[in-house]
Amino acid sequence: MSVITFILSVIIAMIIGTVADKISPFNMPGGWAGAIVAGFIGAWIGPLLFGTWGPMVAGFSLVPALIGAIIVVVVAGIIAKFFD
């Protein structure tokens, strides 16, 4: 993996995580770092649960990754509510 590919992956994960944070009823703890984590975990979980379909950018299947990131944000938001 080259440096350019890594940076592009981080940017795509941050965009996916930020969109998931804005769509979901809960807020992702951690700000932009939390959005990146949610994007990467969503990009891993989404295709496992829903398959790879829709547009692909930098190895991310965008629609399943977004749905997976929304699931991650909701779960993290619920867990964060318990510790408030």
Side-chain angles (χ1 to χ4, degrees):
M1 174 183 278
S2 69
V3 174
I4 303 277
T5 306
F6 176 74
I7 291 172
L8 185 61
S9 295
V10 170
I11 291 170
I12 298 295
M14 187 166 92
I15 291 169
I16 290 170
T18 303
V19 170
D21 187 33
K22 300 300 179 194
I23 291 174
S24 73
F26 296 98
N27 290 329
M28 180 67 185
W32 61 270
I36 293 172
V37 170
F40 274 122
I41 294 174
W44 175 63
I45 289 175
L48 287 176
L49 296 175
F50 306 109
T52 55
W53 51 278
M56 300 246 338
V57 175
F60 289 90
S61 184
L62 293 181
V63 177
L66 180 61
I67 295 169
I70 291 170
I71 292 169
V72 170
V73 170
V74 167
V75 169
I78 290 171
I79 292 171
K81 288 275 186 190
F82 288 125
F83 293 106
D84 271 347

